[in-house]
Amino acid sequence: MRLFLLISALFLCSISAQACLNGETKILKNGAFIYEDYEGMIPHGHQFVGISQLDEVNRELDSLYKKTKDIDYLSDKGYVLILQGKYQEAINLYLEIEKIKPNRYSTASNIGTAYELIGNNQKALEWIKKSVQIDKESHNGSEWLHVKILEAKIKGDAYITSSFLLNTDFGTNEKPITNLSTKELLELQKALYYQLNERVSFIKKENKIVALLMFDLGNVFFLINNDVESTETLYQKAKGYGFSNSFLEKRLAFIQSKIKKHDESTDKDIPVIEKKEPIKQENTKSEGTNNLYIYLLGAVFAVGIILFIFRKKFKKQA
């Protein structure tokens, strides 16, 4: 089983090398390889492998838990149930784990996630807040944003704003502006990436929160790196998730104009090589090659004669 998942992972690497370059990986307690992510800070979602084999993975996790009583096997089974879309079953299992071994971060975090996926945002908020109390540095210290997302979902669409979710915004002009320091922007970039990468693993259609946060990640990217190509990619991803307003279009136009200018200036920097008529030369190359063959044949012939003479001499002496 584990061999199959490893082969799947290697196959994924072979068809998409980018997915296998330093991205975060998820390997369960029994060695089952679940995903490896794309390199970089653009959220593509987890690159899952071996999903069709998850029933077998769970049977193995169950068996190992019964043999060892190691709660990590049971916790991983709950995670697999979430991947399979068996959210209520996962919640029930994690509640049992909480009774056996209370106050584990993974239990609180995964119950919160499962409740959110079935639409019970109030319960989800309770458990995610508990997970933050247990370990506020987990998930790259980004769970504060998960809390804000759940609060916005509970309060309603009017709270799905940058100022509420991030406690900042980036203006409405053609290029983003900020009062945040570079250090604060880098921390925000990390939190946005982590939370978005988790969400786009499961959300493939239009979504207001994903769309807004993807747009804001584009703004942060521009402010930190002035990386216009990646910024455009994130803006386009935001559009794909349903983000639509006038200043998004202004920013896209601005970014695309910068990309065009960069391409034009790059083209100008490439030296133009004048085409010249080829100089007619005598076929010295082929003549040289023919001469080489003649010399080699002569050498072989000479060696043959020497060997023949030595052989005759040797026979006479014998």
Side-chain angles (χ1 to χ4, degrees), residues 262-273:
H262 177 266
D263 291 343
E264 287 172 353
S265 66
T266 303
D267 289 341
K268 285 177 185 175
D269 291 337
I270 298 171
V272 177
I273 301 171

Side-chain angles (χ1 to χ4, degrees), residues 5 26-28 32-37 45-55 57-58 61 75-91 94 110 113-114 117 197-202:
L5 290 176
K26 177 76 173 179
I27 300 173
L28 301 184
F33 185 99
I34 300 298
Y35 65 71
E36 182 161 4
D37 289 346
H46 301 315
Q47 307 304 299
F48 293 111
V49 296
I51 293 297
S52 62
Q53 306 296 316
L54 290 182
D55 281 335
V57 172
N58 263 348
L61 289 168
S75 182
D76 280 351
K77 180 184 176 182
Y79 177 78
V80 171
L81 289 171
I82 290 172
L83 293 185
Q84 292 178 304
K86 300 175 182 180
Y87 305 130
Q88 192 57 57
E89 196 175 334
I91 290 167
Y94 278 119
N110 285 320
T113 298
L117 288 167
N197 202 53
E198 289 290 311
R199 286 175 183 278
V200 301
S201 301
F202 300 98

